[in-house]
Amino acid sequence: MKICCIGAGYVGGPTMAMIAHQCPDIEVMVVDVNEERIRAWNSDNLPIHEPGLDEIVAARRGRNLFFDTVIDDHIRAADVIFICVGTPTKTFGAGAGRAADLRYIETCARRIASVAEDDKIVVEKSTIPVRTANSIKRILKAGKPEVNFDVLSNPEFLAEGTAISDLLEPDRILIGGESERPVETLAAIYGRWVPRERVITTNLWSSELSKLTANAFLAQRISSINAISALCEATDAEVGEVAHAIGMDSRVGSKFLRASVGFGGSCFQKDILNLVYLCEHYGLKEVAEYWEQVVKMNDYQKRRFSHRIVQTMFNTVSQKTIAIWGFAFKKDTDDTRESPAIAVCQDLLNERAHLKIFDPEVPGSRIREDLGCEDDEGKVTICHSAEEATEGAHAIVILTEWDAFAHEDFAKIYQGMEKPAFVFDGRNIVDLEALKALGFEAYGVGRGRPGTS
Ligand code: NAD
Ligand code: UGA
């Protein structure tokens, strides 16, 4: 069997590497229009940072895992084609700011239709609005009526930073389809390493909608606990204690209740907005408003965090130096898409602070690009260690939960900082009491009222 995956990104690369790893007899070809990305996949310096990925790519690349910019030949040769391209929020025209921009999906469908010569199974791996399979089927059928295309929905649930373990032991594999044979073909691939009871099949539309719903529910939990974190700060309740207490109820569950500076990542916001747009499209105004609140709460949380920093630092950070620890949207990834760090740093820059930023994986060039300050105008300094960022700083702001941050030598760091030295932990990873004992004024999210450090 031959697989071709269109899109060598955060999903296409790791997912195909796992299939190649588990199925040595299947030839897996990952193609992309982005030459630089493909070059990186073929080098020792992979284009994405993901624990455990280097090892499995090194083991399979050149054997049954290949990366190429030649697309048509590999589509033609494949039995199964995964579409794994981006589906960002539309920035123009009808639905701008909400609807999914499906132009990359459509380009893939048209390309498959134009080059395929025999029957293909086409798998939607990208996250798409419910009923997109219908559009794909129509494009394929119109382009090549003589070829039989089976379109399946097989959304991906991996999270960045844990992609390899998520792929190795997924909670479930979801396959939506209309006829048994192609569904079984795909189920058999996953069945090589995923217990069969975890491979569930549904109709196409349930599968498509389950992906948007899963992300909406996950993000909703974060916004819910973040909403409570604001109340904790007003009342001296501790959000970690509240989360622990409610999470022990098995109906609530303990995961995804970490209060934070806000959720980031390329998908939560985009997928909820997409859900909101779909609800509006179907005339379900109340449902749309209900889900939109999850995004609004997240925006509020990011703003609230930067506001708290300014307020606590005597209502001004102008000309003050602030050490920013972490820029990725979560630990163990170099991805900064929709990272809450971008919003918080921009707020602080608007307040005329000078930022010294350190992230162990995000390149400085990307940080500058995300902040729109590509020239070194003295507002942003990229640092090579967490400690370096704190030299002469008035405050440390923790925006990504990199494990190493909790183990820095805070006693030494304190010596090198302006006084009073502040810590604002947007991820609740450091021991605030220990920092206070060293002399810091230390704050977390949902822990302690402002001014009571
Ligand atoms: P990405 O931007 O990292 O990768 C997409 C790739 O597709 C890019 O490299 C781009 O060059 C390529 N591409 C676009 N059009 C192409 C074309 N016509 N031919 C060939 N290549 C083309 O995106 P991603 O993070 O991998 O996400 C892909 C999809 O998976 C999205 O729909 C996303 O919502 C979904 N998803 C992402 C994650 C995640 O953790 N990032 C998890 C689950 C689902
Ligand atoms: C998320 C989902 O977890 C995946 O199942 C899904 O496949 C993926 O989106 C997608 O569709 O793209 P991801 O965004 O990679 O994965 O990472 P998460 O672990 O979900 O974290 C998202 C954001 O929420 C991060 O900024 C994280 O720091 C934040 N978060 C997470 C919290 O603030 N609190 C929590 O308790 C959990």
Side-chain angles (χ1 to χ4, degrees), residues 17 101 116 129 164 230 286 296 306 312 347 359 375 403 420:
D101 183 346
I164 298 304
E286 286 77 4
K296 285 188 179 165
S306 30
T312 309
D347 282 351
D359 187 287
D375 306 324
D403 292 337

Side-chain angles (χ1 to χ4, degrees), residues 67-355:
F67 298 91
D68 205 346
T69 48
V70 171
I71 298 181
D72 293 354
D73 290 352
H74 298 307
I75 290 177
R76 209 171 287 121
D79 306 291
V80 180
I81 301 162
F82 285 81
I83 301 180
C84 232
V85 296
T87 48
T89 304
K90 223 176 144 188
T91 54
F92 55 88
R98 285 167 182 246
D101 183 346
L102 295 176
R103 71 183 127 149
Y104 306 110
I105 298 276
E106 179 164 344
T107 306
C108 290
R110 287 183 184 278
R111 198 147 187 176
I112 295 168
S114 76
V115 302
E117 287 164 354
D118 53 10
D119 297 354
K120 307 282 181 210
I121 296 175
V122 178
V123 184
E124 303 171 334
K125 183 65 116 177
S126 300
T127 302
I128 29 76
V130 56
R131 298 207 70 82
T132 301
N134 220 15
S135 315
I136 296 179
K137 277 192 286 185
R138 282 175 53 203
I139 293 168
L140 293 172
K141 204 170 161 51
K144 252 323 142 53
E146 66 278 19
V147 171
N148 179 52
F149 296 102
D150 286 300
V151 178
L152 302 179
S153 159
N154 172 221
E156 183 50 59
F157 296 100
L158 68 79
E160 289 176 31
T162 54
I164 298 304
S165 53
D166 293 342
L167 289 165
L168 196 59
E169 291 183 347
D171 286 348
R172 78 311 206 177
I173 293 291
L174 177 57
I175 303 174
E178 284 172 325
S179 46
E180 208 179 316
R181 194 191 52 82
V183 169
E184 270 313 305
T185 303
L186 187 57
I189 296 174
Y190 288 109
R192 304 275 195 102
W193 78 97
V194 180
R196 260 330 254 266
E197 64 278 11
R198 291 199 179 194
V199 181
I200 55 173
T201 56
T202 64
N203 79 29
L204 265 173
W205 323 122
S206 306
S207 173
E208 290 181 332
L209 185 55
S210 297
K211 173 62 196 178
L212 292 184
T213 309
N215 274 359
F217 269 58
L218 289 168
Q220 181 198 40
R221 282 175 73 89
I222 305 170
S223 277
S224 297
I225 200 67
N226 282 345
I228 296 302
S229 76
L231 190 55
C232 287
E233 286 166 29
T235 58
D236 276 346
E238 287 275 332
V239 76
E241 293 179 353
V242 175
H244 182 63
I246 63 166
M248 281 185 74
D249 185 326
S250 58
R251 293 169 302 175
V252 175
S254 60
K255 292 183 181 164
F256 255 67
L257 287 179
R258 276 181 288 114
S260 68
V261 56
F263 61 73
S266 62
C267 293
F268 278 173
Q269 174 169 308
K270 129 177 125 60
D271 292 348
I272 294 173
L273 293 175
N274 187 346
L275 188 66
V276 167
Y277 181 74
L278 275 171
C279 294
E280 284 169 351
H281 172 80
Y282 289 107
L284 305 168
K285 183 171 154 282
E286 286 77 4
V287 186
E289 282 171 1
Y290 175 78
W291 286 110
E292 191 166 15
Q293 201 57 37
V294 173
V295 175
K296 285 188 179 165
M297 181 54 63
N298 197 49
D299 290 337
Y300 167 72
Q301 186 75 351
K302 290 183 272 188
R303 261 197 334 271
R304 205 172 68 75
F305 185 74
S306 30
H307 180 69
R308 192 181 185 198
I309 295 171
V310 177
Q311 199 185 24
T312 309
M313 293 176 74
F314 316 109
N315 286 311
T316 177
V317 292
S318 170
Q319 313 295 330
K320 291 181 183 165
T321 299
I322 299 185
I324 301 290
W325 284 5
F327 202 80
F329 81 97
K330 62 186 284 197
K331 71 172 179 178
D332 293 335
T333 179
D334 59 342
D335 196 348
T336 62
R337 291 178 290 180
E338 300 295 338
S339 177
I342 300 173
V344 172
C345 287
Q346 263 158 358
D347 282 351
L348 296 175
L349 288 171
N350 285 342
E351 293 287 342
R352 307 212 171 149
H354 169 224
L355 305 183

